[in-house]
Amino acid sequence: SATVSVLYWTQVAHEMYKILILVFLLVGGSNGRLNDFVKVNGEKKKLTSGCHKLMCQSVISEMRKEVQKHDLTKEGEGEVFDTAGQAICIGVVQNYMMYERKGERWSIRKRHSYELEEDHTPDFNALLILKEACFHFCDEAQLELSEYTYNHLDNSEGDQLFCEELTKPKAKKKPSTKTSNPSTPPKEEQQYEDMMTKIGQDLNIQDLMQTDRYSPELLLDDADQEHIKTGTKKMMCKVCKTAIKKAYKDTTPINDEARLSAIIESAFFGKDDVDSMDYVPGSPPSWGLRYVVSPKYELLKMDPDGDPLAYNENIIRNVIIAKAAHKAHELANIDIAEHIIRTAKKNGKKPAQREVTDFVCKKACADSANSYEEEL
């Protein structure tokens, strides 16, 4: 669907850059060249003559927001320099878009508001071009971007002149006048090596899709991750009962254990085909997309005519429901389909939904209750 597609592509782009934040080893020695093209899947995509200047202004704009939001200047320029690398392309990809002009050359523009709506499917090719162009530009101009943002955090009047000078053909890097050392500390180098060993040297789209599917919460901020952790504990009971309810609507093949197992499985787990283009980040069971998680951790049916969830809200909802369902299934520690069939044979009839729910969700509900009591 269009909703799933936009969430998928946006999240892939979002997590691509978040992963690179974790693994990006800061390096110096740029040769000062800005190519008039980028390569996407081995194909050259030509850029307009003014693209780098516009890219510069876009990056500076996103830099200011990021630095001010997180107060990155409190310990000098070091964190500003880190942000000026490929990491800042997170904001650029979220808020800008590449478009093809006459002559088959590409330039950058601010995204229109409708392009962030859930029913809009972005051009993934344009996202890839934007990512490559932003990465290349920030690689080449990281030092200048860092120095300028650090020294002009509250004044944007000189942005245009700065970007004109910076993006002149074959512009050479000026030596830094700051005392900060942008080289990577040994600890960060080791973290980089450990991370690269963990995820592999080839950071390809399949890797990103798997991260997108299984662990999108790792790319959220600390507050959102804590919200997910709390929500998972408190909602196990509700999610477990809802999963059984949804499964019970389709448990007519009471003697077909394979079919019944598949029904139960789909009620607790999302699709397992990461290559599928219609999977949902966080991999919740499909019924979970028709619900919302309230601030009080209630599982409420979504209003079909209401406003769509914001990006982070959607990811949080997906992950809470998915994790709660997985944990409830794990705590049950039984073959639910086998239990239903065995009970049916013993009693001569299909067990009541409530009987199965109470049996399967007993431990999940006990854990959820304990999580509430811990707050009292």
Side-chain angles (χ1 to χ4, degrees):
S1 67
T3 298
V4 171
S5 296
V6 69
L7 287 172
Y8 163 70
W9 291 126
T10 303
Q11 182 68 0
V12 165
H14 179 74
E15 290 173 14
M16 184 181 297
Y17 316 119
K18 282 287 190 178
I19 291 173
L20 284 167
I21 291 176
L22 298 175
V23 303
F24 181 48
L25 178 61
L26 300 174
V27 295
S30 167
N31 60 19
R33 291 185 295 106
L34 294 172
N35 295 332
D36 62 353
F37 66 89
V38 293
K39 284 188 176 181
V40 176
N41 297 326
E43 181 181 353
K44 286 186 178 181
K45 301 293 184 179
K46 295 181 179 179
L47 306 178
T48 62
S49 58
C51 182
H52 289 305
K53 177 184 173 182
L54 295 174
M55 178 68 73
C56 172
Q57 293 174 307
S58 303
V59 169
I60 290 294
S61 175
E62 294 302 314
M63 282 282 296
R64 276 203 185 90
K65 289 189 290 185
E66 192 72 10
V67 172
Q68 291 173 343
K69 178 180 178 181
H70 300 288
D71 193 19
L72 299 182
T73 60
K74 60 184 177 181
E75 295 184 3
E77 191 186 343
E79 290 190 55
V80 181
F81 178 84
D82 293 356
T83 306
Q86 294 181 355
I88 196 58
C89 292
I90 299 169
V92 174
V93 168
Q94 287 178 332
N95 295 305
Y96 294 82
M97 179 57 72
M98 296 294 282
Y99 70 103
E100 193 172 13
R101 300 182 62 180
K102 292 181 179 180
E104 297 182 344
R105 287 183 177 269
W106 292 78
S107 189
I108 184 174
R109 62 167 172 78
K110 189 81 173 177
R111 284 198 187 203
H112 302 303
S113 59
Y114 74 86
E115 291 178 302
L116 297 176
E117 295 178 358
E118 285 193 290
D119 60 352
H120 175 76
T121 303
D123 181 349
F124 187 56
N125 185 54
L127 286 178
L128 286 177
I129 296 172
L130 176 56
K131 181 266 297 184
E132 291 297 333
C134 185
F135 276 16
H136 175 69
F137 177 78
C138 291
D139 277 346
E140 296 297 332
Q142 183 172 3
L143 183 59
E144 291 92 335
L145 292 169
S146 172
E147 288 185 351
Y148 181 80
T149 304
Y150 184 71
N151 291 308
H152 299 82
L153 191 57
D154 300 313
N155 184 0
S156 61
E157 293 180 1
D159 290 4
Q160 185 170 346
L161 180 60
F162 166 77
C163 288
E164 286 177 355
E165 291 296 320
L166 180 64
T167 58
K168 284 181 179 179
K170 297 184 180 180
K172 299 295 183 180
K173 283 186 179 289
K174 295 176 285 186
S176 174
T177 58
K178 308 298 290 187
T179 57
S180 59
N181 182 8
S183 61
T184 306
K187 181 179 179 180
E188 291 185 11
E189 289 181 1
Q190 186 59 50
Q191 289 175 338
Y192 166 80
E193 292 176 3
D194 292 345
M195 181 63 74
M196 289 303 289
T197 300
K198 181 178 179 181
I199 70 172
Q201 294 290 334
D202 295 324
L203 195 61
N204 55 39
I205 196 68
Q206 180 72 8
D207 297 327
L208 296 170
M209 289 169 66
Q210 289 175 344
T211 300
D212 173 59
R213 172 176 170 74
Y214 295 112
S215 305
E217 72 278 8
L218 298 180
L219 292 312
L220 299 175
D221 61 29
D222 292 343
D224 285 339
Q225 290 194 44
E226 188 62 30
H227 179 40
I228 289 172
K229 183 178 178 181
T230 302
T232 299
K233 291 181 180 179
K234 290 188 173 184
M235 297 195 67
M236 279 192 297
C237 184
K238 299 168 186 175
V239 168
C240 183
K241 290 182 176 181
T242 305
I244 294 296
K245 179 180 178 181
K246 299 301 179 183
Y248 236 66
K249 288 184 177 181
D250 193 20
T251 53
T252 49
I254 195 66
N255 296 318
D256 186 345
E257 186 172 347
R259 170 64 179 150
L260 188 55
S261 293
I263 292 171
I264 298 295
E265 189 82 4
S266 66
F268 281 88
F269 300 90
K271 291 185 178 180
D272 198 35
D273 183 7
V274 77
D275 293 320
S276 174
M277 300 306 290
D278 64 347
Y279 79 81
V280 179
S283 188
S286 59
W287 61 261
L289 302 180
R290 298 190 291 275
Y291 287 78
V292 294
V293 175
S294 77
K296 294 182 178 180
Y297 302 107
E298 300 168 304
L299 192 61
L300 307 176
K301 285 190 176 181
M302 180 180 286
D303 181 358
D305 299 321
D307 294 332
L309 294 179
Y311 174 77
N312 274 21
E313 291 176 336
N314 184 75
I315 296 301
I316 290 170
R317 183 272 310 273
N318 291 353
V319 175
I320 286 178
I321 292 177
K323 284 183 172 290
H326 296 178
K327 186 62 176 179
H329 190 275
E330 177 185 334
L331 287 172
N333 196 30
I334 59 168
D335 186 323
I336 300 174
E338 181 182 336
H339 170 74
I340 293 174
I341 292 175
R342 187 173 62 248
T343 304
K345 288 181 178 179
K346 178 181 178 180
N347 300 331
K349 62 179 181 179
K350 177 180 175 180
Q353 176 186 316
R354 182 167 183 174
E355 179 186 346
V356 175
T357 300
D358 290 345
F359 185 79
V360 172
C361 302
K362 182 178 181 180
K363 292 183 178 178
C365 290
D367 276 20
S368 289
N370 289 338
S371 70
Y372 279 100
E373 290 176 2
E374 288 171 2
E375 292 185 350
L376 300 177

